[in-house]
Amino acid sequence: MSSLALLLTYKLNIMKKLSLLVILLCTLSLSAFAQSCNGFGGVLKSAWKELYTSVHPIGQEALTLIPVVGQNATAVNAISEASVKFHNFVFNENSQSWTTLGPRALPVQKDQIKQYGTLVKAGVGGVRVFNTTGMLWDRVEIEIEKTGGKAQTDIIICTWDLESGAKNNYTEYSFPNGKDTSTKKFIIKNVHGKSISVKLKNNSFSNKFKYAIKTKGFLNIAKQKKRAVRLQNIAKKDKGIIKMN
């Protein structure tokens, strides 16, 4: 084989190895991105098990009586009030300090709630995780607005089914590098009985990412009524359960 042929073969092998390396790195990068759900805690599951019953005051108010006998607006108000109580129980009244678990609380009510924050840089305040408690809503809208800075920032949204324990990487999005501001809305469907985790990850070692995060809950009245009827039937069959009207 001539020296020219040997040189071409050598270069071809190098190109193949580099291509394989690039593919491997991309695969690992995507895998790490997709598997970076975190922020869930056992306290969420135990709270859901305790409060989501037809005998607990929150369960009676929001899950059994109101959706069946009330008007739609009344049901929305009841679920919103119960969500506030549920949130306070998990994040503020629980004996286990939530601050030691890391994630920030993410409340969801009938009216939009807005929080602000800044991610400093990768490695130093560059990651922030928000958690909801178990959702009494059927659909949740989460809107993240880039208000300043120019760091590329990843958004990873996950859900955790509090009954089955199943975790799901719901969606991912990246705000690109640059000074332009923008807004991204995420619609999380079929979220009843699940906790939502929102992770913001600054990928820059020198730039900041300023943001606002908004949340709002929505009901599917038909689904709420079916759950209420099912819980009432269970309550009637069990001994010692408060009688439902």
Side-chain angles (χ1 to χ4, degrees):
M1 185 179 291
S2 66
S3 59
L4 178 59
L6 287 172
L7 180 60
L8 290 174
T9 301
Y10 174 75
K11 288 186 175 181
L12 182 60
N13 289 333
I14 291 295
M15 290 177 64
K16 287 182 178 179
K17 290 180 179 179
L18 287 174
S19 297
L20 288 173
L21 180 60
V22 169
I23 292 173
L24 178 61
L25 288 174
C26 288
T27 302
L28 290 174
S29 176
L30 289 172
S31 177
F33 188 53
Q35 296 178 9
S36 56
C37 298
N38 62 0
F40 300 111
V43 63
L44 294 173
K45 191 170 184 178
S46 62
W48 179 260
K49 184 177 181 181
E50 178 180 350
L51 299 183
Y52 188 74
T53 68
S54 57
V55 295
H56 192 281
I58 291 180
Q60 291 180 47
E61 175 185 357
L63 308 177
T64 58
L65 301 180
I66 297 297
V68 172
V69 302
Q71 300 299 316
N72 290 1
T74 306
V76 172
N77 291 336
I79 293 296
S80 191
E81 291 172 4
S83 295
V84 172
K85 295 176 183 178
F86 209 166
H87 183 91
N88 288 336
F89 175 84
V90 173
F91 291 100
N92 301 324
E93 301 171 9
N94 198 279
S95 59
Q96 181 180 6
S97 174
W98 189 259
T99 57
T100 63
L101 301 181
R104 293 191 175 186
L106 188 64
V108 181
Q109 300 175 22
K110 67 173 182 176
D111 297 318
Q112 190 179 74
I113 297 176
K114 189 174 184 179
Q115 301 183 60
Y116 297 90
T118 300
L119 300 181
V120 182
K121 57 184 178 180
V124 183
V127 176
R128 185 154 298 150
V129 178
F130 291 86
N131 251 21
T132 73
T133 185
M135 290 287 94
L136 302 175
W137 304 101
D138 294 289
R139 185 178 92 248
V140 171
E141 291 186 1
I142 299 175
E143 189 173 302
I144 299 177
E145 178 185 1
K146 177 184 177 182
T147 60
K150 56 181 181 178
Q152 178 190 349
T153 300
D154 298 332
I155 309 296
I156 305 100
I157 297 182
C158 305
T159 61
W160 182 30
D161 191 301
L162 298 181
E163 291 187 1
S164 68
K167 294 184 180 181
N168 176 46
N169 185 300
Y170 195 88
T171 190
E172 301 169 358
Y173 177 79
S174 286
F175 284 95
N177 182 58
K179 295 182 179 180
D180 293 340
T181 59
S182 60
T183 300
K184 177 66 177 178
K185 179 182 285 188
F186 305 91
I187 299 176
I188 319 298
K189 300 179 180 178
N190 300 315
V191 77
H192 182 273
K194 299 176 183 177
S195 172
I196 304 172
S197 170
V198 181
K199 181 177 181 179
L200 290 78
K201 182 182 178 184
N202 182 346
N203 291 319
S204 172
F205 285 95
S206 57
N207 299 317
K208 296 180 180 180
F209 180 82
K210 297 182 179 180
Y211 65 91
I213 181 169
K214 308 172 188 177
T215 56
K216 187 175 181 178
F218 298 85
L219 289 187
N220 182 314
I221 297 298
K223 289 183 178 180
Q224 291 287 332
K225 288 183 177 180
K226 286 182 180 179
R227 292 190 196 102
V229 171
R230 177 174 58 84
L231 288 172
Q232 282 185 325
N233 291 335
I234 292 174
K236 290 176 181 178
K237 291 179 181 179
D238 293 339
K239 294 181 179 180
I241 301 293
I242 297 176
K243 183 179 180 181
M244 300 297 176
N245 294 322

